[in-house]
Amino acid sequence: MTLIEAKDLPKRRARNIALWVLQVLTAGPLLLAAAAKLTGAEPSASTFEAIGWGDWFRNLVGLLEIAGVVALFVPLLTGLAALAFVGLMAGAVVTEAFVTGGGVVMPLVLLMMSAAIAWGRRASITRLRALATQH
């Protein structure tokens, strides 16, 4: 390890800890949202009814959210999971704003948190891409 790398170690460690905290804080509401979807709780059920795709899509999204939350804690998959949540939350913002007329604050906050994780863990996306192209 060079002297420059040694000086950067405390910054990298602090950044890593901050990202882990952000991952936990993001996973909580996403897990609660997934549980609401899978149990058919309101406003989840009525939101998916308003979209017009019904229970099967609500359950699919709930299961994908749980898979995404798990992937947030698998180092190789973290960046990709966060990027997927960016897309999901962008869809949630649009749906709330233009279909159901609901609040956009929570999905917008989760979108920004997911984007920060995706950016902070972008090296994991690069590693995953390199693994995928090896075969």
Side-chain angles (χ1 to χ4, degrees):
M1 178 179 294
T2 67
L3 185 57
I4 294 172
E5 288 172 333
K7 286 181 179 180
D8 286 342
L9 194 58
K11 279 190 217 175
R12 287 188 356 207
R13 185 171 287 143
R15 182 176 162 264
N16 189 45
I17 291 169
L19 283 167
W20 274 104
V21 168
L22 188 58
Q23 287 165 225
V24 169
L25 292 174
T26 304
L30 290 170
L31 197 56
L32 290 174
K37 287 175 184 71
L38 293 174
T39 60
E42 288 299 337
S44 234
S46 59
T47 298
F48 280 85
E49 193 63 38
I51 294 170
W53 290 4
D55 291 341
W56 74 270
F57 190 63
R58 176 178 47 82
N59 288 322
L60 176 64
V61 171
L63 289 171
L64 290 172
E65 283 177 336
I66 289 173
V69 166
V70 170
L72 278 177
F73 297 102
V74 177
L76 184 61
L77 301 176
T78 303
L80 186 60
L83 197 56
F85 280 127
V86 167
L88 182 70
M89 289 300 108
V93 167
V94 169
T95 299
E96 292 294 338
F98 299 109
V99 177
T100 66
V104 297
V105 172
M106 185 55 116
L108 195 54
V109 168
L110 288 170
L111 186 153
M112 291 185 294
M113 292 168 72
S114 297
I117 295 166
W119 179 257
R121 300 294 190 199
R122 65 192 179 279
S124 72
I125 297 171
T126 303
R127 282 192 304 276
L128 192 59
R129 187 173 167 193
L131 284 173
T133 58
Q134 284 179 354
H135 300 316

